[in-house]
Amino acid sequence: MTRWGMVIDTDRCTGCAACMVACHAENNIQTVGEVEAGKGRAMHWIRIERYYEGEFPDIKVRFQPVMCQQCGHAPCEPVCPVYATYHTPEGLNAMVYARCIGTRYCANNCPYTVRFFNWFSPDFPQPLERQLNPDVSVRSAGIMEKCTFCVQRIQGAQDVAKDEDREVRDGEIRTACSQSCPAEAIVFGDLDDPESRVSEFAEQARATRLLEELSTEPSVIYMRGGR
Amino acid sequence: MTGRGRGLRQLVGLSVSALALTLAACSPRPQAAPEQPIAYNHQVHVQDEEMECTRCHLGAETQDQAGLPPMTVCAGCHRRQGADIPSVQAFMELYDGGQGEPLAWRKVNVMPESAMVHFRHKPHARAEVGCETCHGDIGSMTVAEQVLNVADMGWCVDCHRREEASIDCLTCHH
């Protein structure tokens, strides 16, 4: 069985935010403008958190990219009254836009605050509408959305593999954030495959998960403490 | 009749019509055929000339979308054939003398945007699902029209269950 997972090496992350830009472009995420962003309505499926260690001038900045953790026991799933969010057999926390009625219970129950509500109809001023990714739906107002682990890329790779009558190879699927990371801090793969790179990382002593004490069993693993 | 009796009857009548409306909405009917810029006849091409669907719908087996043929595909044959047919003459006039504007064929099968579905032809072709499974016997139609509303998810799921294809929501909705 496949269980998609991601490893983020925070010791490598430089906080450049290329992943955020790539994610916006890949997943047709709308921008809401300065005023609405000030009201907390900005949407970023992946964000970079900053932490400061020490006092100036002996200060060190640490970065942590945070996106949907694709929890094994996702707090967002049981609270949805219309089953718009559920768990796929491949371990993804799926979001079915067409089912969503916008109660926002899921976002309220997410301890990682990585779910976003479309307060407005998407507006991609010319010529931005030409760069929309045809493999990803443009979400309308009143719908929740979040990181999908680039499910369209997963399906694309599975499609190619099926054509060639083989399994998907480790490293063949790269999410937009992982592909664009200049420090190669983000690795994507199958956690159930003991040979995969993500599994190797997951077994190391540096591996941690976000808010592990909540028992949400995230599929995103953070590497921390090497330097 | 008392006011209350009439009110009750109206209420029942309303609920019945509401139920009928709901049921009608549950399984969408085929949409009406859109008017095309040139009266294209599938029957002549498919039945009489025995052309394959993929000859014009170039992506039907290899791409996500089957696609509507670009004018060059039509002109490829009609530069030599069918010069005596009025619609062909109209087409060639547009092709040769036009301002470079492509012919705006209108799609017969349109997935509503609100469904947020990414239907892909290629996996269906790989599973050897014939075009006629969803599009009906288009080859015998003079005017191409829907035989099945492509927005009818029940139809998709029925077939996916029968053929043991994925019925995970994310397969199509993402």
Side-chain angles (χ1 to χ4, degrees), chain B residues 136-159:
Chain B
D137 190 8
I138 281 233
S140 65
M141 293 180 195
T142 47
V143 178
E145 59 177 10
Q146 279 193 347
V147 287
L148 166 88
N149 193 318
V150 286
D152 187 355
M153 192 178 106
W155 162 268
C156 305
V157 175
D158 274 354
C159 193

Side-chain angles (χ1 to χ4, degrees), chain A residues 86 134-135 137 155 159 163, chain B residues 118 122 126 168-170 174:
Chain A
Y86 73 99
D135 294 335
S137 303
Q155 289 184 357
D159 187 50
D163 273 346
Chain B
H118 293 275
K122 187 182 152 195
R126 188 170 51 216
D168 187 29
C169 309
L170 274 198
H174 57 80

Side-chain angles (χ1 to χ4, degrees), chain B residues 103-125:
Chain B
L103 200 55
W105 293 120
R106 293 180 59 197
K107 284 183 76 173
V108 174
N109 293 284
V110 186
M111 190 66 77
E113 231 168 75
S114 58
M116 304 202 187
V117 164
H118 293 275
F119 178 85
R120 296 185 296 159
H121 273 89
K122 187 182 152 195
H124 292 87

Side-chain angles (χ1 to χ4, degrees), chain A residues 99-162:
Chain A
R99 271 187 184 165
C100 181
I101 57 169
T103 65
R104 291 179 276 145
Y105 289 171
C106 55
N108 282 325
N109 220 29
C110 173
Y112 307 103
T113 56
V114 288
R115 283 180 159 270
F116 302 94
F117 185 66
N118 281 278
W119 289 93
F120 312 99
S121 290
D123 177 28
F124 293 95
Q126 278 187 335
L128 286 182
E129 89 284 358
R130 296 194 173 205
Q131 60 94 52
L132 289 176
N133 185 349
D135 294 335
V136 178
S137 303
V138 176
R139 286 79 53 185
S140 47
I143 288 177
M144 293 297 309
E145 61 179 59
K146 63 160 196 87
C147 163
T148 61
F149 264 3
C150 284
V151 65
Q152 67 282 3
R153 291 186 175 215
I154 297 177
Q155 289 184 357
Q158 285 171 334
D159 187 50
V160 172
K162 224 169 180 179

